Amino acid sequence: MGGRQQPVRLIVWSGRNVYPAMVENVLAQHPAVQEAAVIGVPDPETGEAVKALVVLREGSTVAEQELIDFCAGSLAEYQRPSSVEFVDAFPRNNLGKVLKRLSSRQATRVFGVPLGVP
């Protein structure tokens, strides 16, 4: 018997499933991106919007739209981030895993900006 399996977190965009890991893998291929985490944020039109949180490599710069356009080469339109938030680092648990399930209050405190808006 194996260890406890974590459920796969999906973003549901207008009834379509978006797997955050797939989007994160594409973003990680961009030369300016050190690390990416993808979350779903409430959206009145689609239910959830795809939002990317990105840590850039030291000395790198890239525009939000450039990263979104970069994803267009590998992802369907509904899978692409509708917004990108640049952060200095990700909050992590004691095992080093990125904490994606933050409350709005925690996210505002950790990242300095509210994440509930795409």
Side-chain angles (χ1 to χ4, degrees):
M1 207 163 176
R4 184 174 71 123
Q5 288 285 330
Q6 290 290 332
V8 174
R9 172 68 178 116
L10 295 175
I11 298 167
V12 181
W13 185 94
S14 290
R16 295 180 176 183
N17 293 339
V18 178
Y19 294 89
M22 177 183 275
V23 183
E24 292 164 0
N25 289 339
V26 170
L27 286 165
Q29 294 173 23
H30 191 283
V33 174
Q34 177 178 316
E35 191 172 21
V38 174
I39 60 172
V41 293
D43 182 86
E45 293 179 22
T46 62
E48 284 186 290
V50 179
K51 182 173 188 108
L53 306 172
V54 173
V55 177
L56 295 176
R57 293 186 190 283
E58 191 171 331
S60 294
T61 59
V62 65
E64 175 184 22
Q65 190 60 50
E66 183 181 337
L67 287 179
I68 293 169
D69 293 344
F70 179 80
C71 290
S74 302
L75 299 171
E77 183 177 0
Y78 71 91
Q79 296 171 312
R80 294 179 217 149
S82 58
S83 63
V84 177
E85 191 76 46
F86 296 101
V87 297
D88 293 329
F90 292 126
R92 297 182 185 278
N93 67 15
N94 58 355
L95 298 176
K97 290 194 66 147
V98 173
L99 296 174
K100 293 184 188 179
R101 293 184 184 187
L102 296 174
S103 69
S104 295
R105 176 182 281 156
Q106 289 171 316
T108 301
R109 188 177 66 244
V110 170
F111 295 112
V113 293
L115 297 180
V117 179

